[in-house]
Structure formats: C-alpha cells, structure tokens
Amino acid sequence: MALDAEAKAAGITVMNEIGLDPGIDHLYAIKTIDEMHRAGGKIIAFESYCGGLPAAEDSDNPLGYKFSWSSRGVLLALRNAGKWYQDGKVVEVAGEELMGTAKPYFIYPGYAFVAYPNRNSTPYKERYNIPEAQTIVRGTLRYQGFPQFIRVLVDLGFLEETPIKVLNKPIAWREATQTIIGAISSSATDLETRVCSKATFDSPTEQQRILSGLQWLGLFSEEPIIPRGNPLDTLCATLEQKMKYEEGERDMVMLQHKFVIEYQDGRRETRTSTLCENGDPTKYFAMARLVGTPCAIGKFTMLIGT
C-alpha cells in the first residue's frame, strides 16, 4: 500500500500480486482459511510452497533446474534472508545460510522435492487473518540436490557481485575459477582441492556429485567465459547457455498449501490444496499460463468495469 496515494493521485490503476505466487496462491489460502474460520476452526499452522521447474523428464542437469527467466534474478533471490513463524517463535536465517534450511517435502511419490523459506513470511499472520497460527511459512520448491549445489556456489564465491578485473576478458573458465576461489593454479587437481577445502558437503557421495556438476558446467575447462566483470554475472552467462529450455521441452509448476486445523472439540486435521500444472511445448509454458491468465482476467474485469 506504500504507493496507494500516489497511484490514486496519478489516476492510474496498479494491480499487484495477481500472478501465480503471489496471486493464485493467495486466493486458495484465503478461501480455505475463511471456510475453516466460519466452521469454528483455528489455523494452527500454514505452510505454502511453490516451484517453477522443468518437467521431470527435462530436469537433466546437475541443478535439476532450467531458466525461463533471468538467471540473475533466480540466483539473487537465493541470497535473500528468510523469516517465518515456527511453533510460535520467529525464526530468522541469513541469506548465505538459507540453503542449509532446505528439507525434503513430500507431495506426490513420483517427485523428490525439497523446500526452503522465501523472504519474510511473518506479515501473513495479519494479511491472512490467522493470529492464532503458530507456524507460518511461505517458500520455494526445488528438486532434490539443488540446495546443496547452490550452497557450494555460495561457499566458493560464485554469487558475489564484487568486480574482478580478469573477468572482463574471455579467459578460460579454469583461469576464472582459479581467481574466484583462490586456487594455487588452474589445473583440475588444484581446482578440485581448493573446492573441497572451501566448500561444505553433506557426504563424500554428495561431494563427488557436485564436483561432477561443476565440471559439467565447464568451470574447470578451457572453454572461454562470457566476460561480465564479476563472478555472479559471468556465471549467469554460462548458466543461460547450458541450462535453457530446448525445443520440445516443457516446464512444470507445483504449488501446495498445507493447513493444520484445530476444531472447537479439540480435533485436529491436516488439509492440503495442491496445484500441479505441466507446460505444453506446442503452446504455452505452465508458468506463462499461470502467471499470464490471472493477470489477463484482472485487466479484463477492470476494462469492463466489474
């Protein structure tokens, strides 16, 4: 509402949060909350997680992710701090530690999802009118393995925006990696040794998986970088090449709300509201459809005066 007065003074209509997340997620959250309140129930816990992902058969890279919008925006979002209610207490986690909070999240047996908080969920106690809720968290869904890989990129300094002079030239990736991570040389052995000493891994198996993923990205190779002047943007240029949707591939959107409800007689019930949408490679991506359609409906109802 910070711009409400200015918008009115300018005589314009601004439509906020009418896409997917935020947008559709708000509608189904409020619908269920209102229904439960009218039935005399209390919302003890509310969790909402959403992910825009490649369809399972197209999640064929070390991150299990592909970019349908700005890779820089995706990676910068991973640096946001998290804040939420958990069992009646406010929990705050710094951005560089956020991937460590990721946990397995079950929706359907055929998917191996993990979930982590997204920015500040605490205002939704008031916005959703659930002052009774002890747990409130809104977050992001990714495939298993994504948080661990991102955590290593953070540990190594690849998400930093500090300018580095050599990243203004199309040097080999192995030389760029040597500079970014502070290895003694650009040999594959020295790069791997430095990665293993600087980053944190959950297990030897996970270490090997992530090292293989860094090799797949070409970070130890002779392949020239696309120079962007800093680690984050230089990495993004490569990610956009190697992790884009190819012709015929499709995306998927998964959104789930989970409500823990307590009734007047003391009974408790867990209720879920789930949206699973697959893209059609011959028409529209799922993300485009679920973001664009609500926006179009909002604009149309405004134009016809309803």
Side-chain angles (χ1 to χ4, degrees):
M1 298 296 290
L3 299 177
D4 183 58
E6 291 183 46
K8 289 177 179 177
I12 61 173
T13 299
V14 179
M15 297 183 292
N16 296 320
E17 302 197 354
I18 57 168
L20 166 64
D21 178 3
I24 293 174
D25 60 337
H26 291 331
L27 298 177
Y28 278 88
I30 292 299
K31 175 179 181 292
T32 299
I33 290 168
D34 285 352
E35 289 174 353
M36 294 304 99
H37 282 168
R38 286 197 298 271
K42 296 180 180 179
I43 306 297
I44 302 303
F46 172 78
E47 294 181 86
S48 176
Y49 293 103
C50 184
L53 298 159
E57 70 273 16
D58 294 320
S59 60
D60 53 353
N61 63 55
L63 281 163
Y65 190 82
K66 291 184 177 177
F67 296 99
S68 58
W69 66 293
S70 165
S71 61
R72 192 178 205 275
V74 171
L75 295 183
L76 284 177
L78 298 171
R79 289 167 32 180
N80 292 324
K83 185 176 181 180
W84 66 98
Y85 285 107
Q86 187 70 48
D87 299 325
K89 298 179 180 179
V90 174
V91 179
E92 296 187 66
V93 176
E96 60 269 20
E97 300 172 1
L98 189 63
M99 291 299 99
T101 69
K103 61 181 181 181
Y105 191 83
F106 178 85
I107 296 181
Y108 296 132
Y111 294 101
F113 291 126
V114 293
Y116 53 87
N118 182 16
R119 301 187 184 181
N120 186 0
S121 299
T122 60
Y124 289 91
K125 183 182 281 263
E126 180 180 353
R127 291 174 185 172
Y128 284 174
N129 189 29
I130 45 175
E132 71 274 22
Q134 298 298 295
T135 294
I136 302 174
V137 56
R138 287 164 47 88
T140 300
L141 290 174
R142 291 290 181 259
Y143 287 126
Q144 177 182 318
F146 179 92
Q148 291 85 352
F149 203 106
I150 292 296
R151 187 176 65 195
V152 169
L153 292 177
V154 171
D155 289 346
L156 297 178
F158 279 101
L159 301 194
E160 295 297 323
E161 298 178 86
T162 305
I164 297 178
K165 189 174 181 179
V166 298
L167 300 183
N168 288 311
K169 303 175 183 178
I171 61 175
W173 250 119
R174 62 180 178 82
E175 296 173 17
T177 298
Q178 176 192 0
T179 300
I180 293 168
I181 69 176
I184 60 174
S185 84
S186 62
S187 72
T189 298
D190 286 338
L191 293 177
E192 289 190 15
T193 299
R194 179 58 175 162
V195 167
C196 292
S197 67
K198 193 171 183 180
T200 300
F201 302 92
D202 293 341
S203 67
T205 300
E206 192 72 352
Q207 175 179 299
Q208 188 54 52
R209 181 186 74 83
I210 293 174
L211 284 172
S212 296
L214 296 174
Q215 292 169 349
W216 182 89
L217 287 173
L219 303 191
F220 303 159
S221 74
E222 290 286 343
E223 182 180 340
I225 67 170
I226 301 172
R228 293 291 186 267
N230 64 60
L232 173 66
D233 291 313
T234 302
L235 176 64
C236 285
T238 291
L239 295 180
E240 288 171 0
Q241 284 190 331
K242 293 180 175 289
M243 295 172 57
K244 62 184 179 181
Y245 284 92
E246 302 293 344
E247 185 175 354
E249 294 185 337
R250 61 184 185 141
D251 72 330
M252 177 192 72
V253 166
M254 186 70 74
L255 164 65
Q256 184 178 81
H257 298 326
K258 182 180 292 184
F259 309 85
V260 177
I261 305 157
E262 184 176 87
Y263 294 101
Q264 290 177 325
D265 61 4
R267 290 181 299 113
R268 286 198 175 188
E269 172 191 2
T270 298
R271 183 177 295 192
T272 59
S273 173
T274 306
L275 168 64
C276 178
E277 180 82 358
N278 286 293
D280 182 343
T282 66
K283 294 182 180 178
Y284 299 106
F285 270 34
M287 184 62 73
R289 191 158 57 240
L290 293 176
V291 171
T293 301
C295 288
I297 292 171
K299 183 176 180 180
F300 180 72
T301 56
M302 181 188 71
L303 291 174
I304 63 175
T306 60

